[in-house]
Amino acid sequence: MPVAIITGASRGLGRALAEALAARGWDLVLGARGADGLKEAAAAVTRHRAKHGTRVVALPGDVTGSGHRAVLVAAAQGLGGLDLVVNNAGILGAEPLVPLGGQPLEGFRAALETNLVAPLGLLQEALPLLRRAPAGAVVNVSSDAAVEAYRTWGAYGATKAALDQLSAVLAVEEPGLRVWWVDPGGMRTDMLAAAEPDEDLSGTPAPEEIAPAFLRLLDRRPASGRYTAAALLEAR
């Protein structure tokens, strides 16, 4: 069975992607900082074991640590290899979000470390296994804030814009892989609620509604590039 590493897998989009891949028979290595939430996510995913034989390794830890990244990749190797890395873990840098004039620099540095440096570190660790996979792929979770100028989203958006550029260069340097950087759009998540606590999120899609867009990438394997979940879901 194919093997995926998913960071930030304890809740939101990460958990939704884990459940969607498990339902297709993928083996998973799940990482997140919250041990309790990760344990719950892993338990939800393992219900697919009876049908598909799904194997799940849940490893709590901070993806900004090189040791944790190495453990994630070693766990994938223990499952037989690595076919997909999903860099989903992310932080805002300030909760709630604030204009750039009031952005705490330590929060911005932390967001850069989690949203940009850690994905690169994980990919550096994972590339030898991905290159050996029959259809190796990388999904870097981006944001519309990477390409649009939204008030208060400047610091977070800057980290995602940098991740987009990193992804584009990786796609050039690793032509044997598929590298997709994906804007999922607004989702009804704890992160969005923390970013804008006064916003009404009742009409915002849940992560489970967005996850099928990522599955379409795996099904169709389009060229490396930037995609939006909305366009992927609309495509026939």
Side-chain angles (χ1 to χ4, degrees):
M1 284 191 276
V3 178
I5 292 174
I6 304 175
T7 65
S10 63
R11 60 182 184 173
L13 180 62
R15 177 168 173 170
L17 290 174
E19 294 203 38
L21 289 175
R24 289 182 163 213
W26 282 65
D27 290 331
L28 301 172
V29 178
L30 307 180
R33 289 180 298 171
D36 291 341
L38 187 61
K39 183 178 179 180
E40 291 176 7
V45 167
T46 53
R47 72 176 187 270
H48 300 286
R49 181 175 294 157
K51 182 176 181 181
H52 299 292
T54 302
R55 297 173 293 171
V56 180
V57 180
L59 298 168
D62 191 331
V63 75
T64 63
S66 59
H68 179 60
R69 296 192 296 264
V71 167
L72 292 174
V73 175
Q77 188 165 21
L79 291 175
L82 182 59
D83 302 272
L84 171 66
V85 171
V86 181
N87 279 308
N88 169 70
I91 64 171
L92 294 168
E95 296 183 6
L97 294 177
V98 295
L100 287 172
Q103 172 67 44
L105 293 183
E106 63 272 21
F108 184 44
R109 291 189 186 98
L112 282 167
E113 194 70 30
T114 300
N115 301 352
L116 180 64
V117 179
L120 176 57
L122 181 57
L123 288 170
Q124 289 175 338
E125 194 80 32
L127 277 173
L129 290 181
L130 287 172
R131 289 168 180 150
R132 293 201 292 268
V138 174
V139 170
N140 289 329
V141 177
S142 185
S143 169
D144 52 351
V147 295
E148 300 290 345
Y150 298 134
R151 185 181 182 277
T152 75
W153 286 86
Y156 175 81
T159 70
K160 291 298 187 178
L163 182 64
D164 282 4
Q165 177 64 4
L166 183 150
S167 304
V169 173
L170 181 68
V172 172
E173 294 176 343
E174 298 290 338
L177 304 179
R178 287 291 192 272
V179 182
W180 302 305
W181 46 113
V182 184
D183 167 17
M187 292 180 291
R188 196 165 61 249
T189 62
D190 292 344
M191 176 180 274
L192 185 55
E196 298 181 332
D198 296 329
E199 286 291 309
D200 179 8
L201 303 182
S202 58
T204 306
E208 293 77 13
E209 299 173 75
I210 301 300
F214 291 79
L215 298 182
R216 289 196 172 186
L217 286 172
L218 296 172
D219 289 342
R220 299 176 181 180
R221 292 188 61 81
S224 295
R226 191 179 200 277
Y227 294 87
T228 68
L232 289 167
L233 291 172
E234 290 172 1
R236 299 297 180 189

